[in-house]
Amino acid sequence: MTDRIPLVIDTDPGIDDALAILLALASPEVDLQLVTTVHGNVELAQTTENALRVLHLAGRSDVPVAVGAAGPLVHPLPERAGHVHGAAGMGGVELDPSPAAVDPRPAVVALAELLMAHDPGTVTVAPIGPLTNIALLLAVFPEAAARIGRVVWMGGSAARGGNVTAAAEFNAWADPEAAHAVLTSPLPVTMVGLDVTLPTVLTEPGIERFRANGGRVGSTAAAVLQQYVDAARNSYGISGVCVHDALALTEAVVPGTLGTTRRDVVVGTTLGAARGQTLADLRAVSAADTAVEVADTVDSEAAVEFLVGRLESYGA
């Protein structure tokens, strides 16, 4: 394809981050040019190692990986998500080490240089973890940040409450100050939050399809997902998982997959019960240049089929 979208994934792998990276690499609509890592689900050193190993699994160790922020902008993160993703973030599955070394540049520098090398408005940045690196880019390289075509963020919740607290979704809660800076900036942000990810459930028959048909990559992805599946069954009594980050990547790969409404969004940055809450003004559509495209409608069946089909393609 001649009109592939230049793509950067900013990530804290994480089980569903791994699936999102694999989805992007299986999608001819985009050209994954850089992966930047951030603290989040597990410690930064582990998220970086996981990103390298997932790229290697897909045969794409050529994609540079640059190391980003080790912690939030202001307050330490109270807890990570190893209880969900496993201590090493990959559901207890040990992926083969990558032969590639990390990019010597800090993540924000690597991202700024990539943006300055492309025409304004052409690069999509998909942060699927805390927004620390993107907030730092805004602060340190505003001229580069202004060249971003789209920011497609997996995080937040407009009307569904939270998943790590009653109010907050994990990626927003992990660095609320960064989320507030990004969501109130003029960046063209699409917020893919719990409103659309919670209804979008990958069931065990879908997982079995890419386990059986997706070659080594598909079978490994299914194995990585098993801890997610077991946790969902034990905690919620459901036979399937919400692969939050993969839905955000689907929107990045095929813009318009999700229905969105422009809303003003602020983020709770106090240390109380509302910390990390993404408070979207649902009273009216916003015309402000700082408004966020809040994803509020999804064809869940089609989105799951898209993910399963792309993961099956690894077996071709």
Side-chain angles (χ1 to χ4, degrees):
M1 295 181 65
T2 57
D3 297 325
R4 299 172 75 197
I5 301 168
L7 176 67
V8 177
I9 296 179
D10 184 69
T11 179
D12 61 334
I15 291 170
D16 53 335
D17 302 74
L19 260 68
I21 293 169
L22 294 175
L23 170 62
L25 292 173
S27 296
E29 298 90 343
V30 296
D31 177 15
L32 181 59
Q33 298 189 357
L34 175 67
V35 171
T36 54
T37 61
V38 68
H39 71 95
N41 288 318
V42 289
E43 299 285 345
L44 178 66
Q46 191 66 61
T47 69
T48 302
E49 183 63 28
N50 290 346
L52 288 166
R53 292 186 181 216
V54 170
L55 290 168
H56 178 52
L57 171 66
R60 291 299 310 275
S61 295
D62 60 299
V63 177
V65 175
V67 183
L73 294 180
V74 181
H75 296 287
L77 183 60
E79 64 176 298
R80 302 203 182 274
H83 60 289
V84 175
H85 297 270
M90 290 288 103
V93 176
E94 185 172 357
L95 303 182
D96 290 340
S98 171
V102 296
D103 193 293
R105 299 169 296 173
V108 174
V109 174
L111 178 52
E113 291 181 355
L114 184 146
L115 289 165
M116 297 303 290
H118 285 78
D119 291 337
T122 58
V123 176
T124 292
V125 178
I128 51 177
L131 284 168
T132 314
N133 288 337
I134 311 305
L136 289 170
L137 180 76
L138 271 171
V140 181
F141 298 109
E143 71 286 356
R147 298 169 75 91
I148 296 175
R150 296 182 79 204
V151 175
V152 183
W153 175 50
M154 191 281 121
S157 172
R160 296 287 294 251
N163 63 354
V164 68
T165 71
E169 178 276 330
F170 179 82
N171 287 340
W173 177 81
D175 194 343
E177 286 79 11
H180 183 73
V182 173
L183 296 182
T184 58
S185 77
L187 288 180
V189 178
T190 297
M191 185 177 95
V192 182
L194 301 182
D195 310 273
V196 290
T197 66
L198 287 180
T200 305
V201 178
L202 171 63
T203 61
E204 291 185 272
I207 296 170
E208 285 306 314
R209 278 177 52 191
F210 58 78
R211 186 197 303 274
N213 304 322
R216 181 168 175 266
V217 174
S219 62
T220 304
V224 169
L225 267 173
Q226 191 59 53
Q227 177 165 318
Y228 236 19
V229 174
D230 293 343
R233 183 185 298 109
N234 295 335
S235 298
Y236 308 112
I238 63 173
S239 179
V241 290
C242 301
V243 280
H244 307 279
D245 296 336
L247 185 60
L249 257 296
T250 300
E251 173 60 31
V253 169
V254 184
T257 293
L258 304 174
T260 66
T261 305
R262 287 184 66 80
R263 307 286 190 190
D264 294 318
V265 182
V266 297
V267 183
T269 57
T270 67
L271 294 178
R275 183 164 179 77
Q277 180 182 16
T278 46
L279 184 60
D281 189 344
L282 303 179
R283 297 172 298 174
V285 175
S286 176
D289 65 354
T290 56
V292 173
E293 293 287 348
V294 175
D296 48 21
T297 59
V298 57
D299 183 338
S300 295
E301 183 176 346
V304 170
E305 180 60 33
F306 183 83
L307 170 62
V308 171
R310 291 294 164 99
L311 291 178
E312 283 186 303
S313 74
Y314 281 102

